[in-house]
Amino acid sequence: GFFQSYAVEVDVKDASNVTCLYAQWMMKFLIKYETNSSDYKNASLDLSSPVTHNGSVCGNDTQAALLAIQFGDGHSWSVNFTKTNETYQADFIIFTYNTNDTAVFPDAKRKGLVTVIVKDMMHPVQLNTVFVCHHTTSFEAENVTEFFYNITMQPFVQNGTIGKKESRCRADTPTSAPTIPPTVANVTTASTTTSSPAPTTAPKPFENPDTGNYSLKTGNKTCLLASVGLQLNVSQDKPLLININPKTTSADGTCGNTSATLKLNDGNSTLIDFTFIVNASASVRKFYLKEVNVTLLNHLNGSVILNADNNNFSKWDASLGNSYMCRKEQTLEINEGLQVHTFNLWVQPFLVKENKFAIAEECFADSDLNFLIPIVVGMALGFLIILVFISYIIGRRKSRTGYQSV
């Protein structure tokens, strides 16, 4: 379970012992960190009791309100709120984690406190109104993903009384159409009724995913290009096939000289990270896929269904400056319960020029197919020549037999 830790409740009071800031919520952190062996691991950090809120500030017309908590072995989190005459809104979220916490970060190369600052995109809320968001909200920055859920929050509380009016986040706002969970393959179960069975029909084959086009930029310059269709095969409790919809998927990540990460977010229900590195020790510098991380969220309530990581890949390799292509379906084994299938893959994580893919180095399956096509055509032509030759011989023999009869 994702949010099985208890909900945090903070009631900040002013000098008159009257509530001035109230908050109740759940949250979790996924942190990618480097080990002493120069590998990267993913740590999961939950809130753990006790939680204190030292340093929280009520705020007023000239001073921002501050909600600050401390938890675990030296970890802390805070968010500040500013207000106008009519509204308030969150400003910055500051998260500090302690890599000396060996229970969370075993064998961490970097020791000490690491601080990550994120700009909160919360929309303005009317004063004396409670902000509520039951669905999952996430922020990503500097190898950290922060998840928030079941939020009830109000800064600048007036007269110590929590407002009765609610302002819901966009994810909680109902729409005219029902929320549709990720596409899955239906699992047929036996009927328990005694009525006559319906005629059986062959199951409809599961369709391949649509191909999405993704890119990252550094400033105004494109630094990574990817075109791929993605399908998840989850085989834990019930087999699930999930097609990633490129129309609802956004791309984020980082580019570098020796490493690059493409982060895909399918509408806050599926998060997939692909990390590429450059092999500088080879005689010819090449890049390859090193790590894939998948986080699967429940589309309806925001809980985490699955978080899996494999940082031992050596796939999709091509010379630095070229791109990698594989039109055939490929399978990435993340763990025993999860596979990622790729279709029509074309990727270049380094040295992109003029926003275009460079020369493609094709996978073995594609090159093998290209190699077989002329062989098959040649064999067909050879067989046709043999047939013509045999027909010619038979014709000659019949002609000679005719002459001898005369």
Side-chain angles (χ1 to χ4, degrees):
F2 179 51
F3 292 111
Q4 291 184 353
S5 59
Y6 64 93
V8 180
E9 183 177 20
V10 176
D11 188 349
V12 181
K13 299 182 182 297
D14 60 16
S16 302
N17 201 32
V18 174
T19 297
C20 62
L21 191 159
Y22 177 82
Q24 185 180 40
W25 78 103
M26 298 177 178
M27 67 180 175
K28 180 185 180 75
F29 307 92
L30 295 179
I31 305 165
K32 183 177 181 180
Y33 69 97
E34 186 177 5
T35 67
N36 286 320
S37 58
S38 297
D39 291 331
Y40 284 86
K41 291 184 178 180
N42 286 288
S44 176
L45 178 59
D46 301 289
L47 292 182
S48 56
S49 181
V51 176
T52 60
H53 57 87
N54 299 326
S56 296
V57 177
C58 291
N60 50 43
D61 292 340
T62 59
Q63 182 182 12
L66 178 67
L67 173 62
I69 63 169
Q70 303 81 37
F71 60 96
D73 188 5
H75 314 296
S76 62
W77 180 90
S78 67
V79 56
N80 69 319
F81 300 89
T82 56
K83 75 170 184 174
T84 64
N85 292 331
E86 299 179 352
T87 64
Y88 69 84
Q89 67 182 80
D91 196 1
F92 288 99
I93 293 175
I94 301 176
F95 169 51
T96 299
Y97 58 94
N98 182 16
T99 57
N100 287 319
D101 185 352
T102 56
V104 180
F105 305 99
D107 196 32
K109 184 175 182 179
R110 179 180 180 181
K111 298 294 186 180
L113 300 178
V114 182
T115 298
V116 177
I117 302 176
V118 179
K119 173 69 176 177
D120 196 329
M121 303 306 292
M122 172 184 174
H123 61 275
V125 179
Q126 291 291 320
L127 291 174
N128 203 33
T129 300
V130 181
F131 174 74
V132 177
C133 192
H134 293 306
H135 281 70
T136 302
T137 301
S138 65
F139 297 95
E140 292 185 26
E142 301 179 32
N143 294 331
V144 174
T145 304
E146 304 179 34
F147 296 94
F148 306 92
Y149 178 70
N150 248 1
I151 303 171
T152 300
M153 189 175 293
Q154 184 185 346
F156 307 107
V157 176
Q158 300 177 7
N159 302 321
T161 303
I162 304 299
K164 296 181 179 180
K165 185 179 178 181
E166 291 184 354
S167 174
R168 292 292 186 118
C169 62
R170 292 184 179 93
D172 282 1
T173 305
T175 60
S176 57
T179 302
I180 301 174
T183 306
V184 298
N186 292 328
V187 180
T188 304
T189 57
S191 174
T192 57
T193 62
T194 58
S195 58
S196 300
T200 58
T201 57
K204 183 180 179 181
F206 198 75
E207 296 180 353
N208 289 344
D210 294 333
T211 301
N213 297 310
Y214 312 103
S215 63
L216 299 180
K217 288 189 175 182
T218 300
N220 295 324
K221 184 179 179 181
T222 299
C223 56
L224 183 149
L225 289 173
S227 179
V228 63
L230 292 169
Q231 183 183 87
L232 302 185
N233 186 346
V234 184
S235 56
Q236 287 190 325
D237 298 329
K238 291 183 179 180
L240 299 176
L241 283 179
I242 304 174
N243 280 348
I244 303 302
N245 183 1
K247 294 181 180 179
T248 61
T249 300
S250 59
D252 195 2
T254 57
C255 292
N257 294 327
T258 59
S259 67
T261 300
L262 174 65
K263 298 175 177 287
L264 301 180
N265 186 335
D266 179 22
N268 260 349
S269 62
T270 306
L271 310 173
I272 308 178
D273 297 352
F274 298 93
T275 299
F276 302 86
I277 68 171
V278 175
N279 185 358
S281 61
S283 57
V284 178
R285 299 186 71 194
K286 289 191 170 186
F287 70 82
Y288 64 91
L289 177 70
K290 170 66 174 175
E291 180 176 359
V292 179
N293 178 269
V294 179
T295 302
L296 186 63
L297 306 178
N298 187 305
H299 195 81
L300 299 178
N301 61 22
S303 62
V304 164
I305 300 172
L306 177 69
N307 177 248
D309 175 79
N310 187 335
N311 60 3
N312 243 342
F313 287 118
S314 296
K315 294 180 176 289
W316 303 357
D317 60 307
S319 298
L320 199 61
N322 290 351
S323 61
Y324 174 85
M325 176 185 288
C326 196
R327 290 164 291 184
K328 289 288 187 180
E329 177 183 353
Q330 293 191 93
T331 300
L332 300 173
E333 296 278 352
I334 309 303
N335 60 23
E336 294 180 355
L338 177 64
Q339 295 177 332
V340 176
H341 302 292
T342 64
F343 303 79
N344 296 319
L345 171 67
W346 196 3
V347 63
Q348 184 175 347
F350 301 99
L351 302 181
V352 177
K353 296 181 180 180
E354 298 180 356
N355 198 30
K356 295 179 181 179
F357 284 105
I359 296 174
E361 297 183 23
E362 298 190 52
C363 61
F364 176 79
D366 285 356
S367 60
D368 189 47
L369 177 63
N370 294 336
F371 180 69
L372 285 176
I373 289 175
I375 292 178
V376 173
V377 173
M379 290 178 64
L381 289 175
F383 183 68
L384 182 60
I385 291 172
I386 292 172
L387 285 179
V388 172
F389 181 73
I390 292 173
S391 299
Y392 172 75
I393 296 298
I394 293 173
R396 291 272 297 182
R397 287 181 178 178
K398 284 184 179 181
S399 298
R400 289 180 180 179
T401 303
Y403 290 140
Q404 290 174 359
S405 298
V406 174

